[in-house]
Amino acid sequence: MAVILPRLVFLTLFLHLIASQQINGSVSVGSSLTATPNAKPWLSSSREFAFGFQQIQGTDNFVLSIWYDKIPDKTIIWYPEGRAVVPTGSKVDLIRESGLVLSNPQGRQIWTSGPISDLAYGFMNNTGNFVIVGNNSPKIWESFAFPSGTLLPTQVMAKGGVVNSRNTNFTGGRFELRLLPDGNLVLNTQDIPTDYTYAAYYISGTYDTSNSTNSGEQVIFGETGYLYILTGSGQRFDLTPRGALPSGDYYHRATLDSDGVFRQYYYPKNPTDNTSWEVVWFVPDNICWSIAGDKDSGACGYNNVCSLDGNRPICECPQGFSIVNPDDPSGDCKPDFTPSCDEVEPNNGGEMFDFIELNVVVYNSNADCWKKRLPLSNGRKETTLTKAFLKYRKGSVSDLPPGTPPRLSGGNKDQRSLILVGSVLLGTSVFIIVVMTIVICVGFFVIYKKKATNTYPYTKTVNTNLPRFTYQELVTATDGFKDELGKGTFGIVYKGVIGNEIVAVKKLNRVVQDCEKEFKAEVNSIAKTHHKNLVQLLGYCNEGEHRLMIYEYMSNGTLAMFLFGEIRPPWKQRSYMAVGIAKGLSYLHEECSSQIIHCDIKPQNILLDDYYNGKISDFGLAKLLMMNQSQTNTGIRGTKGYIAPEWFRNIPVTVKVDVYSFGVLLLEIISCRKSLVLESYDQGVAVLTDLAWDHYQERRLDAFVENDLEALYDYKKLGTFMMVGLWCIQENSALRPTMKKVVQMLEGELEVGEPPCPYPFSITS
């Protein structure tokens, strides 16, 4: 016993020592950090990485982040996108049932890592990854799963993974690095409000059409600092060139920077004075020329011009333009003039307008002369290919810089157009072009002045005096109603062209007889509406038995086509659309001069514009329908699956019928499922509202969204949207919120309580 006891004591001390080493860098449940200038962060055991609050220079704000703690500039490698910047006094807590919770000084929750069960402790490890450890699981949440612009050694990105570029304000930028389902690693830009993805400007080429097992499966950042794509067959596609890394002890990171370039950096762990991050590899080679397309703004913002300095783009506003946001020099530029051709008199066009010769160009491979509308996109600095002349109204450029080049007088019909002239057309050709544009501008003005009553106005200004067209004019505009865009409750829609604008012409079904006065009143009512989430009415025809409406053309079809296609649309894009549609309905219900009840909210009546903004169509037309035109029972307006219960009861119908329909629509947007689906003749029809309530009661939102990882990562918003949808479909209309409150709840301005069972009346009966 005398021999055994010391060994047991030694073994106990040894195990205790090991245990203490293992928890070094760990964070216990209940721990918290407060955003103050001298706050101590949670450090990794190597003390190389820190989790906590960094103060933003020159402000009283802080950013919740992970950073390199031994590097003088404290380079940030992670932050919760969109919720990182907070005021002094904010806190982050590690809570047993909630994980990491960031709250403002008033205690309001700003961000959370998501509901977590079985939480044991947090751990800031030596790879820069903050991990939440469970009692029975080594990893139930990690920062590596939510990269914010940066990848680190040991980090892996699977198919479907996305890294957004990082902005100076710690929000996701407009550039994306994605590993597509087909195995290609791509870089692309996105439209931030809608999350619409533009064409890729870098493609790795790791997709094998002949053998899918040779396609990319993972992007791996190796411990030694080499970044590569691993294929399904185990082959390795190097991103970091072999032998490119220096020998020695270095930190490594790969960052999608705010300029859209994906760069790999290294930094010595034993730095000398003036040491900085060095670039070892980057794509694309020339960001200014890699991004193309007529809808994207290019490497720089709209009206901004790109030039290259080494591997970094420099964005500059051209002469006559100024930056919109001084804190974002690579963002959009605004004109310091009025590009217009209004009020041109036959003899003074040359006196009212001049041309500025720009020292920058927009690339055209054919060196042709062509017109380009504002805003300019894909501007690049190049003096040998083409030159640009920009027309402006005299007196509107009061602050142009000294040394403005000689100006050429002229005009043009298109008030938003630039005339881009090939270098081969300079000299006398420019003079001829300018003279011709003056003649054309004056000629069009005279013609337009004579036909003012029958011409589609170029500026789509909403007023009660909408242009009235003859039926024959619309027959001509639609080429005999040849190109059908779609059919709906209210009629058939055709594609047409009036002037130079593509429009949608809706031929209404038979309306209530002797309703000319009502038709005009309703047209005027719709014309008074003006909201970015409503399809705009541009004109009408009221001739004999013909009733037609002319609307703005929506290039991307209906929300139904978008939601129920083969590929599930991104969650961010869907959630953005839902809020926009809610705002449009709120406007119709509460902000119009006369309240408008839509009566037929459904995905087929939500149209998508060039940037996939959702816009409500056919509002205000329900009053014009004959009673027997309803798609369901006589006297009931709407579409099966979206109809509020009060339509079937002898009670007044209010705006709450639209709230019910929106609730069904919101559940469709969340799940990408249709409101009614015929599963089989034996099983009958699957009702989405029933499924939503069942899954909500069971707390199975993952099943409702069919494991949509993007939606599940945004769990708080997903839960909020789900609850709002269930409140909207309450059988008791008094329990449904107004659309104004719906908007506030969706945007997080109003707390959402637990919804009751939506259909208690139906159950008890």
Side-chain angles (χ1 to χ4, degrees), residues 457-498:
Y458 191 86
T459 59
K460 301 176 183 178
T461 305
V462 177
N463 53 62
T464 55
N465 299 316
L466 283 173
R468 179 171 176 174
F469 293 85
T470 66
Y471 182 70
Q472 188 55 47
E473 284 176 324
L474 296 183
V475 170
T476 302
T478 59
D479 194 16
F481 301 104
K482 182 179 179 180
D483 191 354
E484 182 179 312
L485 296 175
K487 295 180 180 179
T489 306
F490 304 110
I492 304 176
V493 184
Y494 300 91
K495 188 175 182 180
V497 178
I498 299 179

Side-chain angles (χ1 to χ4, degrees), residues 540-560:
Y540 70 100
C541 171
N542 182 21
E543 181 181 300
E545 62 180 12
H546 302 298
R547 304 285 188 274
L548 299 95
M549 314 280 272
I550 298 90
Y551 292 99
E552 61 176 317
Y553 175 69
M554 306 292 283
S555 61
N556 280 309
T558 68
L559 179 61

